[in-house]
Amino acid sequence: MTGPQPCQGAAKVAARDQLLTARRRRPLAEVGAAARAIADGLLATPEVRRAATVAAYVSVGTEPGTTALLDLLADAGKRVILPVLLPDNDLDWAVYRGPASLAPARRGLLEPLGEPLGVDAVATADVVLVPGLAVSTGGLRLGRGGGSYDRALARVPVGTFTCVLLYDDEVLPEVPAEPHDRPVTAAATPSGVVRVRPG
């Protein structure tokens, strides 16, 4: 019998390395096309169409891009809130008011300059969009390992549309998971929005 946490921890590190390497190799044209397709797919979902508040994030590097998505959400009349990384790796939130409202922050991130809303602000969102490296068909998300989004997702009411933005080949039959990992309900990929079943 193996102890799940040490083995799963090592498996997560290996999986992250493979997924990050694959992302670094993606051509910029593919990254841009994927961002547009993901934005179109998300904006067509009933959950996003009827949402008043959307919690999202600013993509970095070769993550599926969110730059256009943020502006399209705002142009559609949505209140968009973005994370602000706190010293303990928890996430505060502030309202997005266009590209000029973003400023460089720790770890190469861009964060909103607005008034902090508090860590519980994510619970007010009708839709929560999160980054990740992969997701299982059962809804388990593999993140970068800081635990920030697991904490944030723990505050989100059950039944909220929670969606990770990924490339098509990052939706997998399973991913390494630990007890603290919080599931999501969907994955947005260039091919469309895939409903996954948490648990």
Side-chain angles (χ1 to χ4, degrees), residues 18-100:
Q18 288 179 333
L19 290 158
L20 285 167
T21 298
R23 280 195 175 175
R24 282 192 289 271
R25 292 178 176 154
R26 289 188 189 275
L28 286 180
E30 181 190 339
V31 173
R36 288 187 293 278
I38 288 170
D40 290 345
L42 278 169
L43 290 164
T45 63
E47 293 89 350
V48 173
R49 280 202 311 265
R50 66 176 174 252
T53 298
V54 176
Y57 64 96
V58 181
S59 58
V60 295
T62 52
E63 285 184 331
T66 62
T67 305
L69 175 62
L70 297 177
D71 288 329
L72 289 166
L73 289 167
D75 291 347
K78 314 297 181 189
R79 176 178 179 256
V80 179
I81 61 173
L82 300 177
V84 176
L85 186 65
L86 297 172
D88 66 354
N89 281 343
D90 208 343
L91 298 176
D92 201 333
W93 299 84
V95 175
Y96 174 65
R97 303 195 188 282

Side-chain angles (χ1 to χ4, degrees), residues 107-183:
R107 299 189 187 172
L109 301 173
L110 286 174
E111 295 180 345
L113 292 167
E115 186 72 25
L117 302 172
V119 295
D120 292 324
V122 69
T124 68
D126 306 296
V127 165
V128 180
L129 305 178
V130 298
L133 296 174
V135 72
S136 74
T137 51
L140 289 172
R141 181 188 70 94
L142 180 66
R144 287 182 177 261
S148 302
Y149 277 93
D150 287 316
R151 284 199 249 180
L153 287 168
R155 300 181 178 109
V156 175
V158 173
T160 303
F161 182 72
T162 54
C163 184
V164 59
L165 278 56
L166 298 170
Y167 296 101
D168 291 320
D169 57 1
E170 295 171 342
V171 179
L172 305 172
E174 57 184 39
V175 299
E178 294 174 274
H180 65 266
D181 292 330
R182 297 290 173 158

